[in-house]
Amino acid sequence: MKKAALLFLALLSALSLSACNGAAKGPVYNFSSANGAAFTPYAVEYEDTLYFTTFYDELYSYRDGAVTLLETEFDVWSMTLWEDALYYCANKDWELDGFYRRTLSEDGLSLGEPEKLYDLSGSESYPNAAWTDGKHIFFLNYDGLLRVNLSDGTETLWNFQWASGSLLVYDHTLYLNAPRNDPNPYHLFAVDLDNGEIETVTEESARAMGVQDGKPVILYSNAAPRTLPFTDGFSYYLDGTEVYTKEGEEYIYACTIPIQGSLLDPQFLTVGDNLLMRSFYPADLSEIDHNLPGSDMTDTKIYQYLLTPDGELTLLLADDVRFPLA
């Protein structure tokens, strides 16, 4: 199933990698909206268990080859992990509700009761991203960042504007792209999450795609193949509809994820060392190492695939389409 391919060596000069070997300073959250990334993180990994939501707001866990339905009507976004707990923003009765924390079990079969940490019901707009560092909650909107102290509720607002593209949190720093009306569009800047100070990272058009060797990886606009957003030192690459892993200097073909139209393009999300892919059309059955029983491969389902760094592709779920996709 696997075939090797050497692709686009120009990418080697496009990535800014550190020469040191230090481990990433947590937490690392990647909310990038570039290169087919999911509109919002919808999965986390804890104690060898993958927790993921479906297109229709159901929460599943995947562990040791078994998929378990944990909850229905799980209408959440900006799912992140801190220590042993799942954090997310939630809707209630189709209205903005709050930012929650739920403890995860070590066996992956249950969740603790939801604890509301911040009430969002009076907010006028949804945060584009939300996360925690254990001491604060952060809410990012297009016009700035709100930091909430978890111990005393103190709120600090830093005003700035940003565009879609980079949205990487690493080492108490938020990496973002400048807004479209900026004189130098899509240049990369960083916000210090301790004091709100802003620093230009590069004047060139670039994105912060993840972390390797203790440093953010900066991908410039002329690089190919497309690096998918990643964290934890493992990266995946997209060339057209083909997905690749990398070993040393060699790009290794993993699978093809069909693209049928702009509104139905697949979504890619890194979870731990793995790549989670949501596709509206099936991958080739011959490329799937583990196919869960009872899953017919048709054009009337929504598929969740898991790709590991060694190129193993697993079909987690094939969900029936419940209303027409447009």
Side-chain angles (χ1 to χ4, degrees):
M1 189 272 282
K2 307 295 184 293
K3 58 180 180 180
L6 291 173
L7 294 178
F8 303 101
L9 295 180
L11 177 67
L12 301 178
S13 61
L15 295 178
S16 296
L17 299 178
S18 167
C20 67
N21 292 317
K25 302 175 184 177
V28 177
Y29 299 128
N30 199 333
F31 302 91
S32 176
S33 60
N35 290 341
F39 297 121
T40 178
Y42 58 87
V44 300
E45 185 183 49
Y46 173 69
E47 295 291 340
D48 297 322
T49 300
L50 175 70
Y51 298 85
F52 65 97
T53 62
T54 69
F55 187 80
Y56 296 108
D57 300 327
E58 295 163 335
L59 179 66
Y60 286 83
S61 67
Y62 173 72
R63 182 185 179 94
D64 297 331
V67 174
T68 303
L69 174 62
L70 299 178
E71 287 195 17
T72 59
E73 299 181 6
F74 192 69
D75 188 4
V76 309
W77 79 101
S78 252
M79 283 177 53
T80 53
L81 178 73
W82 174 254
E83 295 182 341
D84 64 346
L86 174 69
Y87 292 81
Y88 56 82
C89 288
N91 293 334
K92 185 176 182 180
D93 298 326
W94 303 96
E95 297 289 339
L96 187 62
D97 183 29
F99 186 75
Y100 286 85
R101 172 174 58 201
R102 299 183 69 173
T103 303
L104 300 174
S105 63
E106 292 188 1
D107 62 8
L109 298 178
S110 63
L111 291 173
E113 291 298 314
E115 176 187 2
K116 183 184 282 190
L117 301 179
Y118 191 84
D119 188 4
L120 288 166
S121 58
S123 302
E124 296 182 356
S125 61
Y126 286 54
N128 296 95
W131 68 91
T132 183
D133 61 2
K135 298 179 181 178
H136 306 91
I137 305 171
F138 297 89
F139 298 104
L140 179 68
N141 294 293
Y142 282 120
D143 56 358
L145 181 69
L146 175 65
R147 186 183 70 179
V148 181
N149 191 306
L150 281 171
S151 62
D152 59 16
T154 302
E155 298 186 2
T156 304
L157 178 63
W158 296 313
N159 291 305
F160 52 80
Q161 290 186 326
W162 63 283
S164 60
S166 289
L167 213 174
L168 175 71
V169 178
Y170 165 70
D171 192 20
H172 303 283
T173 304
L174 171 64
Y175 294 88
L176 295 166
N177 285 110
R180 290 182 176 86
N181 58 1
D182 188 273
N184 187 11
Y186 291 105
H187 80 260
L188 189 66
F189 68 98
V191 181
D192 190 317
L193 296 180
D194 293 324
N195 54 36
E197 294 183 359
I198 296 176
E199 178 183 359
T200 297
V201 177
T202 175
E203 295 287 353
E204 298 180 65
S205 180
R207 292 183 175 95
M209 298 301 292
V211 174
Q212 281 187 344
D213 298 327
K215 293 288 185 180
V217 174
I218 309 303
L219 185 70
Y220 294 92
S221 59
N222 60 351
R226 294 162 60 187
T227 304
L228 296 168
F230 67 93
T231 56
D232 297 337
F234 288 89
S235 52
Y236 298 85
Y237 304 87
L238 183 66
D239 182 34
T241 60
E242 297 181 342
V243 181
Y244 293 79
T245 59
K246 191 177 181 184
E247 184 176 343
E249 302 302 322
E250 187 177 25
Y251 295 93
I252 310 296
Y253 173 83
C255 62
T256 295
I257 299 297
I259 295 176
Q260 296 294 331
S262 60
L263 295 180
L264 296 179
D265 282 354
Q267 297 175 4
F268 301 90
L269 178 69
T270 45
V271 186
D273 298 339
N274 308 303
L275 182 68
L276 189 63
M277 298 179 287
R278 178 182 287 168
S279 176
F280 301 98
Y281 292 87
D284 191 326
L285 264 176
S286 65
E287 298 182 338
I288 303 172
D289 291 327
H290 299 286
N291 186 11
L292 299 182
S295 298
D296 296 328
M297 307 296 283
T298 72
D299 289 351
T300 59
K301 293 181 182 291
I302 301 172
Y303 300 93
Q304 303 268 40
Y305 295 101
L306 184 69
L307 180 64
T308 59
D310 63 2
E312 182 178 279
L313 182 69
T314 299
L315 173 62
L316 299 177
L317 191 70
D319 201 12
D320 287 325
V321 174
R322 302 176 194 178
F323 51 81
L325 297 173

